[in-house]
Amino acid sequence: MNAPGHDPAIEGNRLLSALVAEDRERLLGVGEIVLLTQKQTIYEPNAPQTHVYFPGECVISLITMFNDGGAVEVGTIGCEGMAGLPLFLDATSAPVLVMVQLPGNALRVEAAEFTALVQHSPRARATMGRYAQAFLSQVLQTAACNGHHQIVPRCARWLLMTHDRVGAQQFALTHELLAYMLGVRRAGVTEAAGELQQAGYIRYGRGRVEIVDRAGLESAACECYGTVRKVYEELVGTSNEKSSVR
């Protein structure tokens, strides 16, 4: 379903909220609200990016694909940001697969409209630049995390990041998807989720996960979660009101 105009979930996008009213209204006016489905491809690797997306309820993943068929998530985008940063950086593509991790709506804006805004509005350009820096910090921290930390704290970090973006205690999540996002075998995901569930931090089954003890889950996560969150809040804005984090 595509529809122009305003939507409370879209207007809750923190990056849009960080723009001055004039710039935000321009994007809302030229964009369209689209419903994105789970596992929908937004951009193919190295393919031209013709639109940018500001998620409202959906969560989008950047995934590096390997020649042997393996894959791992290197970045997560939700209501705190946007997909399509190469367009801001004067590029047209990136060597990653960009796909929908969790379904929901997003504001889609044509590349030409977006680039015109950032070229003519110094304030929008500065805001997008700070977001680009925050997102780069997430990607770098994720790379370090994947190579250094064990599966349980990484799984806890991923669940916390997703919880921040969906703003709900429960969300759809299969072993297959979580294994894909973390770049590990399903057996490893089963063991990690089981450990977090046994500790009482989550309930996990039938393709859904429920965050039961947010503070406990934070205690199980590696330092990378807090590091990335702190950088984002310093550069772009305060904590997401949709999240249960205080």
Side-chain angles (χ1 to χ4, degrees):
M1 176 177 148
N2 299 351
H6 294 218
D7 179 278
I10 298 299
E11 292 177 342
N13 178 285
R14 292 172 60 194
L15 183 56
L16 284 175
S17 297
L19 296 171
V20 297
E22 179 183 351
D23 294 337
R24 181 170 60 253
E25 290 299 319
R26 177 173 174 179
L27 289 177
L28 290 169
V30 299
E32 61 175 346
I33 297 171
V34 295
L35 180 62
L36 304 179
T37 58
Q38 191 171 40
K39 296 186 179 180
Q40 178 179 343
T41 296
I42 302 300
Y43 314 122
E44 293 281 359
N46 300 310
Q49 298 186 3
T50 59
H51 296 79
V52 298
Y53 294 81
F54 293 87
E57 299 166 335
C58 65
V59 179
I60 295 171
S61 291
L62 277 68
I63 300 169
T64 293
M65 313 292 292
F66 300 103
N67 292 336
D68 64 1
V72 64
E73 182 186 64
V74 295
T76 302
I77 303 164
C79 56
E80 85 297 339
M82 60 164 272
L85 269 178
L87 294 169
F88 170 70
L89 299 171
D90 292 329
T92 58
S93 64
V96 291
L97 172 70
V98 183
M99 62 170 278
V100 179
Q101 176 194 122
L102 294 176
N105 60 12
L107 180 72
R108 182 172 67 185
V109 179
E110 290 186 0
E113 295 284 1
F114 173 75
T115 54
L117 172 67
V118 295
Q119 286 173 359
H120 294 97
S121 171
R123 292 175 297 185
R125 189 161 58 251
T127 298
M128 293 297 170
R130 290 193 299 273
Y131 171 68
Q133 176 63 33
F135 186 73
L136 175 61
S137 297
Q138 181 200 144
V139 171
L140 294 174
Q141 193 73 34
T142 298
C145 182
N146 288 343
H148 185 71
H149 291 135
Q150 299 298 314
I151 180 62
V152 173
R154 286 173 54 205
C155 184
R157 171 187 62 84
W158 191 92
L159 291 171
L160 288 166
M161 291 179 66
T162 304
H163 185 222
D164 287 344
R165 288 158 175 78
V166 300
Q169 296 302 105
Q170 295 187 35
F171 46 90
L173 182 66
T174 64
H175 280 66
E176 178 186 16
L177 178 62
L178 186 53
Y180 195 59
M181 293 300 102
L182 295 175
V184 299
R185 297 181 181 276
R186 288 185 61 178
V189 166
T190 300
E191 183 177 344
E195 186 172 325
L196 294 172
Q197 182 164 251
Q198 187 174 6
Y201 303 150
I202 65 171
R203 277 195 286 268
Y204 187 36
R206 297 186 178 182
R208 298 192 68 81
V209 65
E210 178 182 2
I211 308 300
V212 177
D213 181 352
R214 169 84 194 199
L217 193 60
E218 288 187 5
S219 72
C222 56
E223 65 202 69
C224 301
Y225 170 71
T227 298
V228 171
R229 185 180 177 88
K230 183 174 184 291
V231 170
Y232 184 91
E233 291 176 358
E234 289 176 348
L235 289 172
V236 181
T238 57
S239 298
N240 183 358
E241 294 179 357
K242 290 173 66 176
S243 170
S244 62
V245 181
R246 292 183 298 274

